[in-house]
Amino acid sequence: MAQRIANIIIPDSKLAIGAAELLREHGDSLLWNHSHRVFLFGALQGERNKIKYDAELLYISALFHDLGLTKQYSSPDKRFEVDGANAARDYLRQNGVPEASASLVWDAIALHTTIGIAQYKEPEVALIYSGVGYDVMGENFESITEDVRHTVVSSFPRNNFKNKILPAFLEGFKHKPETTFGNIKADVCARLLPDFKPTNFCDCVLHSPWKD
């Protein structure tokens, strides 16, 4: 029987279970719990706002959204969001999922840290974004009741999440900090990576090869 938490059913299809097994194998308890909370908080906000969404695709997007931080899926030169998105798309293609659905999951993962854009995309993309924002930064915190939050966190504990997630982010891209240019993860490098010098957009413009 599928697990129901806060009246949200966690998908238990063969495709969903396979994705969960990959997260179990290559992630850790921090990412396991966080990814499930992201799914649940995203789904809860979808239900609250009467948004129709594909629960299986939302769940798989949540499971893969931080897998780009892991050694198994981390590339030497791409944003970790793109690494996770590529991994999810490959997984879905290998399992015969239609290209439109694979592309939708790719967007949900690749855009989950892109403020000001993701929330205006398709429901699955927007709900992953809002689930991440809720769990990481407490965005729209009061939109979910304390009792429901407690139910979710009891099932997938935070365990000092605030203090553990920033080092976990850094561990995933400290070998390629330049990939954080233009996105919020540059703040992680600035706080935790000694001698980090962020790329400055204005310098890119003023020092471009154009002669004017």
Side-chain angles (χ1 to χ4, degrees):
M1 182 177 294
Q3 187 177 13
R4 183 186 293 268
I5 297 173
N7 212 33
I8 299 294
I9 296 174
I10 295 182
D12 64 347
S13 64
K14 181 179 179 180
L15 196 67
I17 292 171
E21 289 173 348
L22 289 174
L23 178 57
R24 278 286 196 198
E25 180 179 358
H26 302 295
D28 56 19
S29 61
L30 180 75
L31 294 186
W32 176 264
N33 289 336
H34 167 55
S35 297
H36 280 82
R37 293 195 306 270
V38 164
F39 166 71
L40 290 167
F41 288 139
L44 284 164
Q45 293 184 74
E47 297 293 334
R48 174 178 175 269
N49 293 300
K50 297 180 171 57
I51 298 172
K52 293 183 179 179
Y53 62 92
D54 187 308
E56 182 182 55
L57 295 183
L58 187 72
Y59 182 57
I60 291 170
S61 298
L63 294 177
F64 273 92
H65 90 278
D66 274 345
L67 269 181
L69 296 170
T70 67
K71 291 181 180 179
Q72 176 67 21
Y73 295 106
S74 180
S75 71
D77 59 354
K78 296 181 182 66
R79 286 179 55 162
F80 86 90
E81 299 97 330
V82 171
D83 288 336
N86 287 343
R89 184 170 59 188
D90 289 345
Y91 171 74
L92 294 174
R93 284 173 171 173
Q94 290 164 8
N95 283 277
V97 173
E99 191 64 25
S101 295
S103 294
L104 182 63
V105 169
W106 194 96
D107 282 355
I109 298 167
L111 295 174
H112 81 264
T113 61
T114 304
I115 296 171
I117 293 178
Q119 61 263 50
Y120 301 111
K121 293 276 288 178
E122 296 89 346
E124 294 79 9
V125 180
L127 291 176
I128 286 295
Y129 173 81
S130 63
V132 169
Y134 193 93
D135 196 50
V136 176
M137 298 185 293
E139 290 185 340
N140 302 311
F141 195 65
E142 298 304 325
S143 65
I144 296 174
T145 67
E146 183 177 356
D147 286 347
V148 172
R149 288 197 301 269
H150 177 74
T151 298
V152 172
V153 173
S154 294
S155 298
F156 298 101
R158 288 179 65 84
N159 293 333
N160 198 27
F161 179 76
K162 278 185 181 181
N163 292 308
K164 291 180 178 179
I165 192 58
L166 295 179
F169 284 146
L170 182 64
E171 189 64 27
F173 48 70
K174 67 181 181 182
H175 61 294
K176 50 178 180 179
E178 68 281 355
T179 63
T180 65
F181 173 50
N183 69 78
I184 58 176
K185 291 303 187 287
D187 294 341
V188 177
C189 294
R191 180 176 288 265
L192 300 178
L193 194 61
D195 302 320
F196 173 70
K197 294 181 180 180
T199 302
N200 185 283
F201 171 69
C202 295
D203 290 339
C204 292
V205 173
L206 295 174
H207 298 152
S208 78
W210 290 103
K211 296 185 182 303
D212 63 337

